[in-house]
Amino acid sequence: MGKDLKRWIAAAALTVAAATQAQVLDEALDAPARAHVVNEFARRLTAQHVDPARAKAAADDIRQRLARGEYDQQTTARALAIRLTRDVAAIAPDRHTYLEYVPYDLADERQRPQPPVQSADNFGLHKFETLGAHIGYLQISRFAPLTRPAADAAARFMDQAADCAALIIDLRDAGGDGQAMGALLSSYLLEDRRSYFFKDKQIHLHDQLDRSGRVVEEFWTSADVAGRRYGGMKPLYLLVNDRTSGAAEAFAYDLQQYVKRAVVVGSPTAGDARVSVKQRVSRQLQTSVAMTRASNVITRANWEGTGVQPDHMTAPEQALNAALALAQAAIGR
């Protein structure tokens, strides 16, 4: 076989592979396929969403739009995902409810991206340092799922703060779904202050409730933790901004509400207090529907939509300086 022919075959193979990949990258949807996606999304909204009234209104709306032919021009997975997400969000806005397009075949496990290695960034526990006279600074980039290695990393991370006179925890840009990690970290920062004589070893922080108000998951501090605790009395400051989301918001809200344990500094957070479930609906589309909502044990409310409101409002880029000044004043330095 000549070299030119070999090169042509190789080029042809690459062309076919590229064409196949292009087809996979944006699934074509005919009228029946679009109807299936819209109706199935509407069904899941009605049956599963944590806010039944708004979800039903959104489901009715997209069914009516389908019947009027408003989705006739959305002939690919990507285009339909953008349009349906926009239409649903106009009636039932939340960060967890949308139609998601993915650039691979959901039915083929080999094409799914590999999940990130959780320990690669020390489970989101970014750094510890001291600022001036005995003021600790902890930076958290995300709240990872709580595993034994993650708990061990949290113990090493929090142990460094035990000798500090004041502590600043930086949650700016932090997110993640690890609410259990947030509860574990809270264990190093809280103690029962409801009674002078009788102190519980564990503190109930918040729950996740389903659409009927039933508790589906509880989050408590741990009675026993590895390493030393910072304690429940020394000054504590949390830095937040509009990209502080998910489990980071739960952590901030719980510490703020429990007898004002923490002073929150910065700007309002993202307002993300729900948890979703994703389900495949076509080769390249999956629905994401918010199925539970947080409920703080003290307020019986959450931060959905409004965000955690800072006690000391300031521009996020100035939050560290503001918290440092507050900490220095608190410890008399």
Side-chain angles (χ1 to χ4, degrees), residues 38-315:
V38 173
N39 287 320
E40 186 59 18
F41 193 13
R43 185 191 69 78
R44 293 174 188 177
L45 285 170
T46 304
Q48 300 173 346
H49 197 277
V50 69
D51 186 341
R54 283 195 176 186
K56 183 180 183 305
D60 290 345
D61 179 69
I62 61 175
R63 287 192 182 107
Q64 291 164 8
R65 291 179 184 274
L66 175 68
R68 293 196 298 265
E70 292 191 23
Y71 300 128
D72 289 355
Q73 302 304 311
Q74 281 71 51
T75 58
T76 66
R78 189 197 304 263
L80 188 60
I82 293 170
R83 176 64 192 273
L84 269 181
T85 296
R86 186 189 73 190
D87 290 344
V88 169
I91 296 175
D94 75 61
R95 296 163 60 92
H96 286 283
T97 300
Y98 50 88
L99 182 65
E100 182 179 22
Y101 156 83
V102 298
Y104 54 86
D105 190 338
L106 286 160
D108 187 348
E109 291 294 332
R110 296 169 301 177
Q111 293 190 29
R112 289 178 177 266
Q114 291 297 312
V117 177
Q118 293 291 336
S119 60
D121 64 349
N122 196 38
F123 307 95
L125 307 172
H126 187 61
K127 72 176 179 180
F128 169 83
E129 60 185 7
T130 55
L131 303 175
H134 305 295
I135 298 173
Y137 172 78
L138 302 177
Q139 186 179 36
I140 300 177
S141 60
R142 69 183 178 94
F143 284 72
L146 184 58
T147 60
R148 172 48 58 191
D152 291 342
R156 293 191 298 270
F157 192 63
M158 297 302 293
D159 184 74
Q160 300 174 90
D163 294 327
C164 295
L167 181 62
I168 298 170
I169 302 181
D170 194 343
L171 305 173
R172 291 174 296 182
D173 299 347
D177 296 324
Q179 295 181 67
M181 173 62 88
L184 175 64
L185 294 175
S186 296
S187 306
Y188 291 87
L189 305 168
L190 287 174
E191 63 182 52
D192 189 354
R193 293 168 60 182
R194 293 168 296 179
S195 168
Y196 185 80
F197 297 103
F198 303 102
K199 295 185 180 294
D200 291 334
K201 290 186 176 181
Q202 289 183 274
I203 297 170
H204 192 182
L205 300 170
H206 73 272
D207 300 317
Q208 283 288 330
L209 311 180
D210 67 11
R211 60 193 281 138
S212 68
R214 179 176 63 93
V215 175
V216 296
E217 193 168 11
E218 298 180 352
F219 295 94
W220 295 68
T221 60
S222 300
D224 299 304
V225 295
R228 298 175 298 162
R229 300 174 191 250
Y230 174 72
M233 301 299 291
K234 292 184 288 185
L236 176 63
Y237 306 90
L238 307 179
L239 312 184
V240 299
N241 64 7
D242 61 355
R243 291 185 297 277
T244 304
S245 64
E249 288 183 281
F251 178 73
Y253 189 87
D254 288 341
L255 289 173
Q256 182 188 54
Q257 297 304 321
Y258 189 82
V259 292
K260 306 299 181 185
R261 174 66 188 98
V263 176
V264 178
V265 181
S267 61
T269 61
D272 177 13
R274 294 175 176 176
V275 174
S276 64
V277 171
K278 293 183 178 181
Q279 299 168 293
R280 184 166 71 93
V281 71
S282 80
R283 192 174 59 175
Q284 285 187 258
L285 292 171
Q286 57 187 359
T287 58
S288 177
V289 176
M291 297 183 69
T292 65
R293 59 180 173 85
S295 176
N296 178 267
V297 171
I298 293 174
T299 66
R300 297 300 175 186
N302 61 41
W303 54 95
E304 177 67 27
T306 62
V308 178
Q309 298 298 306
D311 302 292
H312 188 91
M313 195 83 70
T314 187

